[in-house]
Amino acid sequence: VLTLMTFVTPIRYVLFVSYPPGLMVDYAIVHPMFETVTDVCESSPGVMLGVQDDGHAIRYHSDCRVIANNFLLTQQHGEKILELNRLLALQPAALSDAEPAVDYVLVHLYGLYRRTPEGAVASSVEELRAVNPPLFSALALDGDIPGNYELIRELRLEDERQLPYVQLFRVHR
């Protein structure tokens, strides 16, 4: 009994915990979109623009290429992060003419909720705009969607804001 009591306390915090897929909350948020990403990239592979955190998951789930992901090993990888950040800072219309050519955009809004002593509180549109790339803010928050962008699928919040928090666009050039 004493031996059993020794192990009960440490393992109770491990056995009955629900972990998100990939042990990453951000991956769990975007995960429902990856079936669509797989299908789209299988039928028409191309370059998919998304934040570096989503880059590895895009590659894992599809045949689409990404500009950068979190596997930062060389100077070239660092340069790709700078290139990615430059593209994410553009407005949607400017991205259409930018190089390298982007075929798809995976919008993933961060900071949907913020923690307070009282618990989680929904972030305002202004707060979301402050923590997300200009490209994502324009597409998801402002609805600034040029005619050459085709919305393939979106996931919306199920709260009073009803904002899209994950969107997949095809960019027609």
Side-chain angles (χ1 to χ4, degrees):
V1 171
L2 185 58
T3 303
L4 180 62
M5 293 299 291
T6 305
F7 290 106
V8 167
T9 302
I11 64 172
R12 73 177 175 178
Y13 298 111
V14 177
L15 288 180
F16 307 107
V17 175
S18 175
Y19 295 103
L23 300 177
M24 295 175 52
V25 173
D26 288 327
Y27 174 68
I29 289 170
V30 182
H31 188 264
M33 182 64 78
F34 284 121
E35 183 177 335
T36 304
V37 168
T38 301
D39 294 342
V40 165
C41 292
E42 186 176 288
S43 65
S44 181
V47 175
M48 186 170 296
L49 180 65
V51 292
Q52 72 188 53
D53 290 342
D54 293 335
H56 175 67
I58 291 167
R59 290 291 302 132
Y60 177 78
H61 288 281
S62 77
D63 293 327
C64 278
R65 297 177 310 278
V66 296
I67 295 169
N69 60 34
N70 282 338
F71 292 110
L72 304 174
L73 304 173
T74 68
Q75 182 176 346
Q76 180 186 13
H77 294 119
E79 291 166 359
K80 288 295 187 179
I81 295 296
L82 294 175
E83 183 178 357
L84 174 68
N85 290 339
R86 177 183 60 81
L87 294 172
L88 292 173
L90 296 174
Q91 290 301 307
L95 179 66
S96 301
D97 299 325
E99 291 297 330
V102 170
D103 302 294
Y104 303 98
V105 177
L106 179 65
V107 174
H108 173 188
L109 291 183
Y110 285 88
L112 299 170
Y113 299 91
R114 56 186 165 78
R115 294 185 192 277
T116 68
E118 294 77 36
V121 175
S123 299
S124 69
V125 170
E126 293 76 26
E127 290 170 321
L128 292 172
R129 191 172 280 110
V131 298
N132 284 285
L135 179 68
F136 291 0
S137 294
L139 291 169
L141 301 175
D142 301 335
D144 179 15
I145 304 171
N148 64 323
Y149 278 61
E150 173 191 351
L151 178 62
I152 297 170
R153 182 175 175 210
E154 69 180 3
L155 306 175
R156 288 187 165 268
L157 294 173
E158 295 180 7
D159 62 16
E160 68 279 353
R161 297 173 293 171
Q162 291 292 303
L163 291 171
Y165 63 97
V166 180
Q167 296 173 305
L168 179 60
F169 291 94
R170 181 186 318 266
V171 181
H172 298 280
R173 290 177 152 285

